[in-house]
Amino acid sequence: MTTLTLVQGDITRESADAIVNAANSSLLGGGGVDGAIHRRGGPAILEECRGLRAGHLGKGLPTGEAVATTAGDLDARWVIHTVGPVWSAEQDRSDLLASCYRSCLRVADELGARTVAVPAISTGVYSWPMEDAARIAVETVRATPNAVAEVRFVLFDARAYAAFASRLACSRT
Ligand code: AR6
């Protein structure tokens, strides 16, 4: 049984078996969580990402999928990189966002990670509305069978924390 927990803060300060990165398909870095992870995690993460791009991920990591690398200097064993969908008002991309969480849990299981810290994927640069993203995140983790003991959502600000807290409360009833 997976326990879902919430903390407000910077995900790069967390201690966990695996830390999820809200990456882009290039796996070569960016802003937001991605920038922070590469800054604090150091060059070993980027080096391994480059290796993935030179190998089986030559075209990049598709949206909704996930892949693990070392966590470098972070207080974790692995970073699990996933690529969220860009929010679209015209097209329902919810399943791709749900797929990010499912893929991360599958990779975490394969690694044997027991604690996983996860950001609110797609809610920054990719503009997904926070309440809807929280609903998808919580529902998907609850509905996905896995061996992870704790999925810890790490929310950057009070608004994101409140959205996840209210969704977590809903799904308990
Ligand atoms: N710790 C926890 N949450 C954070 C942190 C942090 N250090 N920094 C930002 N957030 P984003 P996306 C929150 O933009 O929307 C990058 O350039 C942020 O407030 O990191 O999936 C990638 O390379 C927001 O709620 O990810 C991609 O190109 C959430 O984390 C693109 O952004 C996600 O924001 C991915 O965009």
Side-chain angles (χ1 to χ4, degrees):
M1 172 83 185
T2 309
T3 303
L4 277 67
T5 58
L6 302 183
V7 298
Q8 188 183 327
D10 178 348
I11 199 165
T12 66
R13 302 283 184 181
E14 292 297 309
S15 170
D17 290 339
I19 293 177
V20 170
N21 182 17
N24 61 61
S25 287
S26 80
L27 292 176
L28 300 178
V33 172
D34 200 8
I37 281 180
H38 284 287
R39 258 193 316 278
R40 192 170 295 277
I45 301 174
L46 189 57
E47 202 175 303
E48 206 174 319
C49 286
R50 287 209 176 98
L52 290 169
R53 290 298 312 278
H56 75 289
L57 292 176
K59 290 184 178 158
L61 182 66
T63 303
E65 296 188 15
V67 68
T69 65
T70 174
D73 300 329
L74 297 175
D75 191 7
R77 291 180 68 185
W78 304 282
V79 168
I80 300 175
H81 306 262
T82 191
V83 182
V86 176
W87 161 258
S88 164
E90 289 79 39
Q91 198 183 27
D92 182 6
R93 299 176 179 165
S94 304
D95 198 52
L96 282 170
L97 184 54
S99 173
C100 289
Y101 291 98
R102 285 193 293 265
S103 300
C104 287
L105 288 169
R106 191 180 57 246
V107 170
D109 269 358
E110 286 164 6
L111 294 167
R114 299 282 292 155
T115 53
V116 182
V118 188
I121 298 162
S122 287
T123 62
V125 173
Y126 287 173
S127 305
W128 205 287
M130 188 59 78
E131 280 69 25
D132 196 51
R135 175 186 64 79
I136 292 167
V138 170
E139 283 179 0
T140 304
V141 172
R142 284 216 186 287
T144 306
N146 68 87
V148 174
E150 181 194 2
V151 170
R152 187 185 315 144
F153 290 109
V154 183
L155 294 321
F156 210 37
D157 56 24
R159 197 177 69 84
Y161 185 93
F164 275 70
S166 90
R167 183 48 62 176
L168 217 53
C170 292
S171 65
R172 281 216 181 89
T173 58

